[in-house]
Amino acid sequence: MDQTSTYRPTYLWLITLTAALGGFLFGYDWVVIGGAKPFYEPFFDITSAADQGWATSSALVGCMVGAAGCIFLSDRLGRKRLLIAAGFLFSLSAVGTALTESFFGFNLYRILGGAAMGIALNLSPLYISEMSPAEKRGRMVTINQLLIMFGVLLAQVVNWQISLLDTGLVEGASFDQIAASWSGQEGWRWMFGAEVIPAALFFILMFFVPESTRWLIKNGEVERARTVLTKLGGATYAEDSIRETLDTLSRGDESQINLRALFQPKIIKLLALGIFLAFLQQWSGINVVIYYAADIFQAAGFTLKQMMLNIVVIGGVMVLSVFVTLATVDKYGRKSILLTCLGAMSLLYLGIGYSFFAELGGGIVVVLVLANVMFYSISLAPLLWVLLSEIFPNRVRGAAISIGALAHWVGNFTLTYFFPAIKENLGWANNFWLYGAICALGFLVLWKVLPETKGKSLEELDRELG
């Protein structure tokens, strides 16, 4: 049967968009904290750098737990079951955070939501990658990143619109005035609680998508995989895919995680590359812009309402930038995009730091920050997950990606938790210059060691790299 004539892109898009809802929820949960920060901090009377860092980063502890759990469970239980669990945790976290009355409860529910974030950010792109044909894989995995950015934008719009409901809150309100206002008592709760709608939708829809076909084949359920692959691309496509996947699997018991395989020299090199990419994505500094946007714009001279609007603009830029990636990732390749954008980010951080050093004013800071967000959103944001889903062999992919995701969250936590203290000691200018130096280092390392993966099937990459 001619696979081209029977290929069903609509089916692929439906399961991709369903799985990518996990990315959407990650995006919402990732940045909702930044817009809610000016309001929940007065409610809980958070004034110390340690408490500020913990409130902002507590979810990242859950992210590390979720990512670590995937190392042992994603190859044992499959991608689908864990994504369903993530949908439940997202829902529970949204309701719990919105209703809590204590700082302990706030952080507890943020940690539960973080566990869902760790699972979703790990397994949504992996699932999409394993279901996509080679020539469409970069674009399909980038769809997950697009929905992450839509989640970012929605969280920022929701935060902004909810903040506007409090007409009694004056410009330049003090800490105590915010604490006593509707925004300080109730508004921030709605910012977190609104997530329960897409979270419940994700939880329900994940019951209706198939399990990853590569996971099914790896675990001996070839007939189930054949049914799904035939639905995707016809009988010829199904048989070719099954044969390629079986050729790359080892002869051992593949239903269990072979952790010893992770210590083979070639795999260790790929793990080192994945971990470096994960830390680079975080230590490039963009999450400081996301989590602490209100502080950055306040330091640049903006009022509370202006800060909330600027944060929304950041989300809009992030969404639009991903369309550039969609148009270029399978045309120009992963490596050239990363190198171009890392070079640009390094120069932009130099400019942002100088703007604070020379006190040039808020306008130039906004322009440079938006340009930096654009280059990050084109490159490091989506391509980390594209590359992590491509460079590891079939037999260890689930565990290896989970290790990369765990490194991502360790980098995220360390950056976010320690930023208030680092900023107090280094100042804004030196802080941004540090991120510029990290981006320059990333450029040099990736230029030397990163392979190009575009246009190759996962099985081809398995033979070449693993």
Side-chain angles (χ1 to χ4, degrees):
M1 187 179 294
D2 181 3
Q3 81 176 69
T4 303
S5 63
T6 58
Y7 183 68
R8 294 184 59 191
T10 301
Y11 184 56
L12 176 61
W13 275 97
L14 285 174
I15 59 179
T16 295
L17 290 172
T18 298
L21 274 175
F24 175 88
L25 289 163
F26 162 77
Y28 190 100
D29 221 324
W30 177 34
V31 303
V32 67
I33 192 82
K37 186 175 182 290
F39 308 110
Y40 72 72
E41 284 189 345
F43 179 84
F44 292 116
D45 193 26
I46 299 172
T47 56
S48 70
D51 284 344
Q52 288 173 350
W54 176 235
T56 308
S57 62
S58 59
L60 305 180
V61 174
C63 292
M64 288 186 276
V65 172
C70 287
I71 296 174
F72 303 98
L73 298 178
S74 65
D75 283 331
R76 186 183 301 275
L77 299 180
R79 304 10 171 167
K80 176 176 174 175
R81 293 172 187 168
L82 291 178
L83 287 172
I84 290 172
F88 173 77
L89 289 175
F90 274 126
S91 304
L92 179 62
S93 172
V95 174
T97 308
L99 297 179
T100 188
E101 293 293 334
S102 69
F103 189 48
F104 173 82
F106 176 87
N107 288 301
L108 174 63
Y109 285 110
R110 288 292 294 160
I111 290 171
L112 291 177
M117 292 165 67
I119 294 170
L121 193 61
N122 184 347
L123 296 187
S124 287
L126 172 60
Y127 175 87
I128 295 168
S129 172
E130 292 185 335
M131 297 295 287
S132 301
E135 68 275 11
K136 296 181 180 292
R137 189 177 60 249
R139 181 172 297 178
M140 290 295 105
V141 176
T142 304
I143 290 297
N144 185 68
Q145 184 64 33
L146 178 62
L147 262 71
I148 288 175
M149 296 311 181
F150 272 121
V152 167
L153 180 59
L154 180 64
Q156 291 164 336
V157 170
V158 167
N159 287 347
W160 175 45
Q161 289 297 308
I162 289 175
S163 72
L164 294 179
L165 295 176
D166 192 353
T167 56
L169 187 62
V170 299
E171 290 286 354
S174 67
F175 192 83
D176 290 337
Q177 287 175 319
I178 294 174
S181 70
W182 179 84
S183 292
Q185 292 293 317
E186 303 294 337
W188 62 269
R189 299 178 184 278
W190 288 98
M191 296 175 184
F192 291 105
E195 187 185 359
V196 71
I197 298 173
L201 180 64
F202 175 59
F203 173 72
I204 294 169
L205 290 179
M206 275 306 303
F207 282 97
F208 297 96
V209 301
E211 179 56 86
S212 159
T213 53
R214 280 184 172 82
W215 184 86
L216 290 172
I217 295 169
K218 180 178 177 179
N219 285 271
E221 300 188 49
V222 177
E223 288 306 314
R224 284 181 62 191
R226 180 177 284 111
T227 300
V228 177
L229 289 166
T230 302
K231 194 173 181 179
L232 270 172
T236 301
Y237 174 80
E239 295 306 319
D240 289 346
S241 298
I242 291 170
R243 185 176 61 254
E244 271 200 312
T245 302
L246 288 173
D247 285 345
T248 60
L249 294 175
S250 66
R251 296 179 180 274
D253 181 9
E254 294 297 334
S255 64
Q256 302 297 320
I257 305 168
N258 185 3
L259 292 180
R260 286 181 298 177
L262 294 172
F263 295 97
Q264 295 173 356
K266 287 186 178 180
I267 305 300
I268 289 176
K269 290 181 180 179
L270 294 175
L271 279 173
L273 175 59
I275 291 169
F276 179 83
L277 282 165
F279 272 93
L280 176 63
Q281 192 206 55
Q282 295 306 303
W283 288 358
S284 67
I286 201 67
N287 279 341
V288 165
V289 175
I290 298 299
Y291 292 136
Y292 294 98
D295 299 281
I296 293 170
F297 292 132
Q298 184 180 33
F302 290 96
T303 66
L304 181 61
K305 290 185 178 180
Q306 289 172 331
M307 288 188 297
M308 298 299 291
L309 180 58
N310 287 337
I311 292 171
V312 172
V313 176
I314 288 176
V317 169
M318 295 177 84
V319 169
L320 294 175
S321 299
V322 180
F323 285 103
V324 178
T325 310
L326 285 170
T328 59
V329 65
D330 286 322
K331 182 178 182 180
Y332 298 110
R334 291 56 157 151
K335 184 171 182 175
S336 59
I337 295 173
L338 277 171
L339 294 180
T340 300
C341 293
L342 277 169
M345 289 174 66
S346 184
L347 294 174
L348 286 165
Y349 275 129
L350 182 66
I352 296 170
Y354 180 76
S355 298
F356 278 100
F357 177 78
E359 299 181 352
L360 297 182
I364 187 65
V365 170
V366 170
V367 171
L368 293 175
V369 165
L370 291 178
N372 194 51
V373 167
M374 177 188 72
F375 283 111
Y376 170 83
S377 301
I378 291 171
S379 58
L380 280 171
L383 295 186
L384 167 66
W385 305 106
V386 173
L387 286 164
L388 286 182
S389 69
E390 291 177 332
I391 63 175
F392 298 118
N394 274 332
R395 64 188 183 277
V396 296
R397 182 174 293 121
I401 291 177
S402 299
I403 291 172
L406 177 59
H408 167 276
W409 292 119
V410 172
N412 196 330
F413 177 80
T414 53
L415 177 80
T416 307
Y417 180 78
F418 292 108
F419 169 74
I422 292 173
K423 185 257 297 178
E424 286 184 5
N425 287 280
L426 291 183
W428 286 105
N430 289 328
N431 187 69
F432 285 114
W433 287 335
L434 174 62
Y435 300 144
I438 291 171
C439 289
L441 174 64
F443 176 95
L444 293 174
V445 172
L446 296 185
W447 176 60
K448 293 288 288 184
V449 304
L450 183 67
E452 183 54 74
T453 58
K454 77 178 180 76
K456 300 177 182 179
S457 72
L458 294 179
E459 285 68 34
E460 288 179 284
L461 292 170
D462 193 318
R463 290 189 291 270
E464 291 180 13
L465 302 176

